[in-house]
Amino acid sequence: MNRHPDRDQIRIESVLSALGSPVRLAVVRVLDAGGEQNCTSVLGLLGITAKSTMTHHWRVLRESGVIWQHPSGRENLLSLRREDLDARYPGLLDTILAGAVADEALATASGSATAGALASSSG
Amino acid sequence: MNRHPDRDQIRIESVLSALGSPVRLAVVRVLDAGGEQNCTSVLGLLGITAKSTMTHHWRVLRESGVIWQHPSGRENLLSLRREDLDARYPGLLDTILAGAVADEALATASGSATAGALASSSG
DNA sequence: CGAACTGTACGCAATACTTCGAACATTCGT
DNA sequence: ACGAATGTTCGAAGTATTGCGTACAGTTCG
């Protein structure tokens, strides 16, 4: 049921497409900062209210090879596939993550309300 | 008329979203390998037949800050915004480009017909 | 077993993306 | 001015994405 792609099945187009969404990029940032978490935890840090909406995004991130998703008890733990992504595309994840931070610095300069959510998760 | 974003206006989400499309990623690879070219040249290397379709993609790439597009005579020359992208997201472009090559190596192992188009442009 | 908790599956509506053809604007060569 | 070449703009069709609510499945605790 998990449908994780093999490491060699991961494609850059799918990864970029998955991370091209503000919601999913935010998810990745949360996972990078906070490590393995359950769906509700990540959901709480975003502006999405419906769980079914996020189930869709987990799916996109999972099937593109960006995240692991493995059940633990009644929870479904999410984590970054760092090892695989770094192996296939060295530096990509860090560059994108750093880019998101850089973007935020410019966005806050213009005045953005949603920018604070991720900034607070790093402290 | 060209609607190029300023360097500080570029956002990683837009860049990733733009490059998440197979067609546009291929365009970027062609521009990286072949330098400044006109639309028809790039169009010829892809499987798209309609010029109006590519006009849409130029627009996406241009407005996301990935390419420059400047008229020269009756042509419209396309080129990568390497300096700006490298300044905003150091290493991102090279990593993605390298990732596309790496993907192709795995894709050709499985047998892909479209893979050859880009491989030949790097020689 | 039954209740609460966590997350998925399905269907639906709104929106965006992708692609194309036809018509138009601009430039170059004569 | 005329014709060829290069792209853009517009309108339209097909497809994909996004987000939500409801219903459902599995786990934990009493």
Side-chain angles (χ1 to χ4, degrees), chain A residues 12 16 90-97 99, chain B residues 10-12 15-16 19 82 85-86 88-99:
Chain A
I12 190 94
L16 297 180
L92 178 65
L93 197 55
D94 284 334
T95 304
I96 292 175
L97 255 14
Chain B
I10 299 176
R11 286 192 242 183
I12 191 96
V15 173
L16 297 179
L19 269 45
R82 256 206 172 280
L85 289 175
D86 285 348
R88 293 282 278 114
Y89 315 113
L92 179 65
L93 197 54
D94 286 332
T95 304
I96 292 175
L97 254 14

Side-chain angles (χ1 to χ4, degrees), chain B:
Chain B
M1 61 170 281
N2 264 342
R3 273 275 165 308
H4 290 96
D6 201 36
R7 174 185 286 190
D8 291 346
Q9 297 269 30
I10 299 176
R11 286 192 242 183
I12 191 96
E13 298 163 2
S14 305
V15 173
L16 297 179
S17 182
L19 269 45
S21 158
V23 176
R24 290 190 292 263
L25 182 56
V27 168
V28 168
R29 297 183 64 189
V30 168
L31 293 179
D32 176 65
E36 199 175 46
Q37 305 179 44
N38 66 12
C39 297
T40 310
S41 300
V42 180
L43 191 149
L45 299 178
L46 308 173
I48 309 288
T49 53
K51 286 187 293 183
S52 54
T53 297
M54 292 314 293
T55 299
H56 161 68
H57 289 300
W58 309 143
R59 183 187 191 87
V60 174
L61 287 168
R62 168 171 30 92
E63 294 187 347
S64 65
V66 175
I67 65 171
W68 288 117
Q69 193 176 19
H70 87 274
S72 171
R74 59 182 163 187
E75 299 182 340
N76 214 344
L77 296 180
L78 305 167
S79 58
L80 269 180
R81 285 186 69 168
R82 256 206 172 280
E83 291 182 11
D84 288 327
L85 289 175
D86 285 348
R88 293 282 278 114
Y89 315 113
L92 179 65
L93 197 54
D94 286 332
T95 304
I96 292 175
L97 254 14
V101 174
D103 274 15
E104 223 167 52
L106 294 179
T108 44
S110 304
S112 172
T114 57
L118 277 308
S120 64
S121 65
S122 63

Side-chain angles (χ1 to χ4, degrees), chain A residues 38-40 51-52 55 69 76:
Chain A
N38 66 11
C39 297
T40 311
K51 285 187 294 184
S52 56
T55 299
Q69 193 176 18
N76 214 346

